Amino acid sequence: MTSPSAVPFAPRRIVIGANAHAELEQALRAARPDLEFRGNRYTDLTADDLAWGEGYVGFKRPPLPSMGNIRWVHCTGAGVDSWLYPDELPADLLLTRSSESFGPMIAEWALARALAFSQQLVDLAQCQRLHRWAPRDIATLRGSKAVIVGTGDVGTHVGRHFAAMGCRVYGVSRTGEGDASVFSTMAEVSALKDVAAIADWLVVTLPLTARTRGLISREVMMSCRGAILINAGRGAVVDEGAIPDALDKGWLKGAALDVFQEEPLPLESPLWQDTRVMISPHISGLTTIDGAAAGFLECLAAFERGESTRWLVDRARQY
Ligand code: GLV
């Protein structure tokens, strides 16, 4: 839904804020030699760049007081929270999100973590280093219960991967709706605690919005009975500070976390040295140059026709 004052706008001068800005600029220039581009790491962009530009392509907001003359931001990530927090972009500024499907990659990341826990890969690697022959019982994913919180594109792909392993897959979403061919049972967020109680795997794939912030609270963890928490959404969706206690109390048996309230995860976080926690540095779903370019070009083409696009962020929903 277009917010009332955000009208399609076709920029001629585009600022690219990304580590891979040179590659992205090359791809965009090849497709649209009629446009002008300036690129840099988003942290190295200047107020002058943003005063020059009309459109912006990048995942994160440059650390500058304003977006200058930028009238359209195309976020190259799935989650647009960097453009909503701590300050929301003005409502008359167009905000679109990536068209790239991160679901397949994040699903492999989540499945790899579940298998690493069930197959005890970390402990076995440690035993190998110590030349220790250590037989043990190995659990299978088959027959276990996966609760996927967030049943959009990412959650649906994750659910499909767990279902393929023989898990029973439950979905939790705002509306209680989800793909019935993937989720054997769907629940609304209001029933989260009840569903969490049956989870062997509690997989979070939610974007960060006013509604989802802190959703996986201490109370939700308390209702778990030895689940493994797997978070590929956003760190702030989970009460990160409650995780060590939830592990000690046995509410959670383990956690695999790709996203954190603060990134990089601060050195003093107790999560680093907790052997029940598997940490990865926000790499579960990576933006590609082709995907970033395609999404931007699709939105641009729509705006040039004076039309809106399905990738326009609904400011009320925040995704
Ligand atoms: C990564 O976290 C993304 O939102 O694409």
Side-chain angles (χ1 to χ4, degrees):
M1 195 207 304
T2 313
S3 51
S5 44
V7 289
F9 164 70
R12 312 293 307 165
R13 292 194 296 275
I14 316 296
V15 176
I16 302 169
N19 288 346
H21 61 89
E23 292 89 332
L24 185 50
E25 181 169 337
Q26 196 179 19
L28 294 178
R29 266 189 201 285
R32 292 299 303 263
D34 56 315
L35 302 180
E36 293 178 66
F37 297 93
R38 264 194 203 184
N40 214 331
R41 289 168 180 266
Y42 80 98
T43 44
D44 293 341
L45 287 169
T46 63
D48 179 63
D49 294 325
L50 300 184
W52 171 86
E54 299 168 321
Y56 182 95
V57 193
F59 180 39
K60 289 206 171 165
R61 189 176 190 141
L64 292 165
S66 100
M67 285 301 287
N69 286 319
I70 302 293
R71 290 172 60 190
W72 165 34
V73 170
H74 180 69
C75 176
T76 53
V80 298
D81 45 293
S82 162
W83 302 98
L84 304 175
Y85 300 106
D87 301 312
E88 182 168 355
L89 284 179
D92 59 349
L93 217 144
L94 291 161
L95 176 60
T96 53
R97 67 185 168 83
S98 176
S99 62
E100 201 161 4
S101 174
F102 298 99
M105 190 177 178
I106 294 177
E108 288 194 18
W109 174 89
L111 195 54
R113 268 71 199 160
L115 285 166
F117 276 109
S118 67
Q119 295 286 328
Q120 302 177 34
L121 294 187
V122 174
D123 195 55
L124 284 168
Q126 171 75 354
C127 289
Q128 181 175 344
R129 271 193 296 276
L130 299 171
H131 297 193
R132 187 182 295 153
W133 185 258
R136 76 264 324 276
D137 288 335
I138 291 291
T140 60
L141 290 197
R142 175 162 298 281
S144 67
K145 297 188 181 74
V147 172
I148 318 293
V149 190
T151 56
D153 175 64
V154 174
T156 303
H157 276 94
V158 171
R160 201 170 282 134
H161 275 59
F162 277 78
M165 301 304 295
C167 297
R168 189 173 169 87
V169 182
Y170 299 72
V172 179
S173 72
R174 185 170 53 89
T175 56
E177 284 160 22
D179 185 336
S181 71
V182 174
F183 302 105
S184 61
T185 309
M186 277 299 306
E188 289 184 19
V189 166
S190 53
L192 179 56
K193 283 195 221 158
D194 299 331
V195 192
I198 54 141
D200 294 301
W201 314 101
L202 184 65
V203 190
V204 182
T205 63
L206 290 168
L208 178 64
T209 69
R211 277 205 183 95
T212 66
R213 186 181 289 278
L215 185 72
I216 309 298
S217 60
R218 185 183 168 82
E219 286 67 39
V220 169
M221 293 180 203
M222 208 183 281
S223 63
C224 291
R225 300 193 189 135
I228 305 271
L229 172 67
I230 301 180
N231 188 10
R234 282 292 182 266
V237 172
V238 172
D239 180 352
E240 198 173 283
I243 293 177
D245 200 31
L247 291 164
D248 290 345
K249 297 253 175 30
W251 306 330
L252 296 179
K253 216 159 39 192
L257 309 170
D258 188 50
V259 285
F260 301 89
Q261 282 172 10
E262 188 183 336
E263 295 177 6
L265 180 64
L267 291 178
E268 62 276 15
S269 168
L271 298 173
W272 281 114
Q273 59 256 13
D274 195 319
T275 52
R276 300 162 294 186
V277 179
M278 229 177 253
I279 288 172
S280 55
H282 203 145
I283 40 89
S284 61
L286 296 177
T287 296
T288 64
I289 299 295
D290 286 351
F296 171 77
L297 293 168
E298 181 184 336
C299 294
L300 178 64
F303 292 157
E304 286 176 335
R305 292 191 302 270
E307 294 168 8
S308 187
T309 159
R310 65 194 165 123
W311 305 114
L312 194 68
V313 172
D314 180 333
R315 292 299 193 93
R317 252 183 12 178
Q318 299 188 304
Y319 61 89

